[in-house]
Amino acid sequence: MLKINWLILFAIIIMVTPITASAEQQSPMERLDDISDEALQMVKFHRYEDAKKMLDYFSDQFTSFSGIAKPLSVDEVRIVHTSHDEAMEAAVSPNMKYEERINKLTKFRLVIDAIATSHQPLWTEMEEQVMTTFHQAKEAAINGDTAQFHSNFNSFLSLYNVIYPSMKIDVPAETIQRLDARIDFVNEYRSQVVNNAKSQQQLEALDTDLKNLFANMAEDDADPSLWWVIISTGSIIIMTLSYVGWRKYQGDKGWKKDRSRDHKD
């Protein structure tokens, strides 16, 4: 039994070691992700000059990492540059409001996270804010409250704009196009949406599309390394139990042989 315990311990050590080693080694994009987060934190504390320095540092590192990191698509590079430019504008602008600065840095942060991570992107954590604001706009439209609808829908558009570049990295193009069409219709025909029950069907359709957007992202958000641990651990347990069962069977078989021999004697 002691041998079996040592076997289990050795197998678990072998299983966990690669995970620990990989966790300690950051990829270039993960380091860029950290830099983008630092820039966001600087802006949150009104340290705009420090935020600018972090964004300059990001630009230098992004250029130097381009030949080392996993190649990015043309669209991904464009999205990174655009969101970085907006973040830099937020850091250096003398007149921009604090909330707008935060939104631009958050947008940049979410873009880099979407590229750096393969599961559970940060932008999906804004689901509750996005859906709550949209539902408030939808309720106002149904109630015929034009002023409240305009206010809430503008707030929804502001939040949607923050996650939009990250969505374009993680979400299929046809899904983005369908959402764009729904939102453009509601935005262009606001007065009809408030006063016309048939036009309000577009709100219902948009509600469904938004729910599907976040639901589809949640379906595949498990960490692959976690699944590897679960499968490996299960395999070890099965192998160990099989080995124990086989040893017990062999022991019982030997015991029966000994007893049979003793009776004959």
Side-chain angles (χ1 to χ4, degrees), residues 31-44 54 58 105 108-109 112 122:
R31 291 199 290 275
L32 291 174
D33 191 31
D34 286 344
I35 297 171
S36 69
D37 183 56
E38 287 290 333
L40 173 58
Q41 299 309 316
M42 295 299 102
V43 169
K44 283 183 177 180
M54 292 304 300
F58 175 94
L105 266 295
F108 173 62
R109 170 78 177 89
I112 306 306
L122 284 176

Side-chain angles (χ1 to χ4, degrees), residues 255-265:
W255 179 74
K256 287 179 182 178
K257 283 184 179 180
D258 291 341
R259 284 197 62 184
S260 177
R261 192 180 300 113
D262 289 342
H263 284 306
K264 287 181 181 180
D265 293 341

